[in-house]
Amino acid sequence: MAEVSYARGLAGVIADESKICVIDGVKGELYYYGYPIQELAEKSNFTEASYLLIYGKLPTQAELTDFRKELNSQREIPKFIQETIKNFPKETHPMTALQTCVAMLGMEDVPSEKDSRETNQKRSIKLIAQFPTLVAYFARHREGKEALAPKSELSHAANFLYMLTGTVPTDEISKMFDTCLLLHAEHTFNASTFTGRVIAATLADLYTSVSGATGALFGPLHGGANEKALQMSKSIGSVDNVEKWFAEATASKTKIMGMGHRVYKTIDPRAKILKGLLLELSEKDGNNTQLEVLDKLASLMADKVKAEGKEIWPNVDYFSGTLYEKMGIDSIYFTPIFAIARVAGWSAHILELWTDNKLYRPKCHYTGDIDLKYTDISSR
Ligand code: ACO
């Protein structure tokens, strides 16, 4: 067979064009519709960033007020989904429950190929509004607690934490959590967004496409890494154990969860911001053990890879788990929280793709046999 060149995992392949988000992996920069992530994290919030992603521009005050009202009024999930969640096995992972429920949203609000862009924009807002409720309802069920109805007077972030834990968070925690959502809202052609685009490009509906994207986010090489990163740093325990743990991990070629990235060849700008938030909370509660462990591990990795000419740096999942734990959130909800944020980006990509749709259908380099003679089953 003739020699062919191909890119495993589509590494480096430009599969389409988009105006939504760009990453400079060498400089460690990230922009949503041209706005630097640091500036958005400092001055904006998840609700405004969601508007930016869905409509492609920053809102005026009146537009933001209307958007917030719509978002807050859409939080409750359909009754039949509330009832179904009560019958889910409690041992189900919340990501499996979430993916299932997202697909179920399309059972009542039945989409059609003829639906307008406006209808799908409204559906995107509904998805952003209802993801937190779906996660919180299942969380309460698996913990054997009564589900809590959303409170429309609370912010998006505060309402989720209230529905999950039963306590209205302080303004400081709400603001921090909101920043975490903003940082996770969008990230170009990552595995889950690409999955959503691939499904949407077949002209399957928004719910089906977003449900598929949710499934892709679940994996430990993608959104599932935050849960694993926390488990890792806790199992290391203290800064004195890091060197030994790292030596063993290196010898056994164990991947360090929350490190490495297909695009970033330096520290992920979101990890820098999350580390700052973690430092704030660690100073507040007087416990910086986890932060010390993570810092030491990152510096050992930096020294090792420098010698090998590789670039493996903390990514968005490295500090977020420890930060969420300090906010009192159980690690099983870390990836669902990622989904609560990323649904804004998935929706934005699907809406953008549908303005000029093109089916994704790559080719494959075939390495199997050809032209074999079929043998009858009796003589095999
Ligand atoms: N720990 C140790 N070594 C690593 C790590 C890591 N976290 N990441 C990459 N490497 C090494 C690989 O072993 C490989 O080494 P080799 O060339 O000697 O075989 C080299 O760096 C390239 O790694 P790949 O996994 O081939 O790079 P790829 O671009 O395919 O993978 C990925 C990127 C999947 C994120 C990888 O870095 C990884 O598995 N990281 C851990 C999981 C993680 O944190 N995922 C979250 C990513 S961010 C997100 O999705 C939200």
Side-chain angles (χ1 to χ4, degrees):
M1 208 171 270
E3 276 284 303
V4 287
S5 65
Y6 58 96
R8 287 205 69 210
L10 300 181
V13 171
I14 297 174
D16 208 340
E17 55 180 54
S18 173
K19 288 188 169 56
I20 300 171
C21 178
V22 67
I23 302 168
D24 185 325
V26 176
K27 291 191 192 146
E29 292 174 356
L30 164 64
Y31 300 84
Y32 294 174
Y33 271 108
Y35 296 98
I37 196 68
Q38 288 84 353
E39 209 170 339
L40 291 172
E42 212 180 291
K43 301 178 182 162
S44 185
N45 53 66
F46 176 72
T47 302
E48 187 178 62
S50 297
Y51 183 100
L52 174 66
L53 291 169
I54 300 300
Y55 293 103
K57 67 170 194 88
L58 284 175
T60 61
Q61 184 58 62
E63 286 165 339
L64 183 59
T65 304
D66 286 350
F67 184 74
R68 183 170 281 127
K69 253 190 225 155
E70 187 172 354
L71 205 55
N72 294 9
S73 68
Q74 298 261 4
R75 285 178 181 159
E76 195 51 279
I77 54 174
K79 278 273 172 298
F80 82 98
I81 300 186
Q82 293 180 28
E83 290 308 313
T84 311
I85 288 175
K86 287 182 193 158
N87 291 308
F88 281 174
K90 291 198 164 85
E91 50 283 5
T92 301
H93 192 285
M95 281 301 282
T96 310
L98 179 64
Q99 183 182 6
T100 307
C101 290
V102 176
M104 285 170 74
L105 287 172
M107 292 180 180
E108 204 174 64
D109 173 22
V110 182
S112 134
E113 268 178 51
K114 296 193 183 69
D115 289 335
S116 66
R117 177 171 173 77
E118 286 66 35
T119 300
N120 282 313
Q121 280 171 330
K122 295 272 177 221
R123 281 197 184 118
S124 302
I125 298 168
K126 188 166 85 175
L127 280 166
I128 298 168
Q130 295 188 358
F131 258 56
T133 316
L134 292 171
V135 173
Y137 270 51
F138 178 67
R140 304 285 296 181
H141 164 67
R142 69 180 284 280
E143 290 167 14
K145 295 175 186 158
E146 213 38 54
L148 294 167
K151 281 184 188 282
S152 61
E153 69 277 16
L154 293 178
S155 73
H156 193 74
N159 175 62
F160 169 67
L161 292 176
Y162 159 72
M163 284 192 298
L164 185 72
T165 64
T167 308
V168 176
T170 61
D171 289 349
E172 188 198 15
I173 294 293
S174 300
K175 173 75 194 114
M176 246 183 218
F177 188 72
D178 185 275
T179 305
C180 294
L181 293 181
L182 181 146
L183 292 175
H184 286 84
E186 165 52 15
H187 212 233
T188 73
F189 277 32
N190 56 82
S192 57
T193 303
F194 191 61
T195 302
R197 287 186 70 119
V198 169
I199 301 173
T202 68
L203 298 184
D205 65 82
L206 186 67
Y207 299 116
T208 307
S209 307
V210 170
S211 172
T214 309
L217 187 72
F218 189 11
L221 293 189
H222 190 14
N226 52 14
E227 198 180 336
K228 302 275 181 235
L230 178 72
Q231 284 163 5
M232 173 192 74
S233 68
K234 286 181 102 172
S235 77
I236 297 173
S238 81
V239 74
D240 300 334
N241 299 334
V242 178
E243 268 186 51
K244 182 169 175 282
W245 187 93
F246 184 68
E248 284 167 8
T250 307
S252 62
K253 294 196 181 303
T254 303
K255 273 195 170 173
I256 315 286
M257 287 295 147
M259 280 203 193
H261 200 275
R262 183 60 72 73
V263 183
Y264 291 118
K265 299 303 162 209
T266 180
I267 186 164
D268 181 328
R270 301 165 301 174
K272 271 194 207 167
I273 300 171
L274 291 165
K275 185 179 169 184
L277 298 179
L278 177 58
L279 183 64
E280 258 183 64
L281 280 193
S282 301
E283 279 172 356
K284 209 161 176 207
D285 70 10
N287 177 2
N288 61 2
T289 306
Q290 292 306 109
L291 184 53
E292 277 179 7
V293 167
L294 292 170
D295 262 346
K296 175 82 181 171
L297 191 57
S299 78
L300 290 176
M301 181 61 117
D303 291 345
K304 178 181 177 290
V305 296
K306 207 181 200 177
E308 295 169 355
K310 286 191 214 159
E311 296 287 359
I312 304 173
W313 296 84
N315 62 50
V316 71
D317 287 326
Y318 195 62
F319 297 105
S320 62
T322 309
L323 183 62
Y324 293 148
E325 196 192 40
K326 280 190 184 283
M327 293 178 180
I329 303 171
D330 188 307
S331 66
I332 201 154
Y333 304 120
F334 295 173
T335 313
I337 288 170
F338 198 151
I340 286 173
R342 187 55 61 81
V343 64
W346 293 331
S347 303
H349 275 273
I350 294 165
L351 289 166
E352 180 187 65
L353 176 70
W354 282 341
T355 59
D356 184 16
N357 191 60
K358 178 85 180 162
L359 184 80
Y360 291 103
R361 205 305 185 186
K363 283 167 69 177
C364 136
H365 174 45
Y366 178 68
T367 56
D369 295 322
I370 208 136
D371 218 11
L372 297 179
K373 289 278 168 281
Y374 182 85
T375 44
D376 190 80
I377 196 157
S378 58
S379 46
R380 275 177 231 158

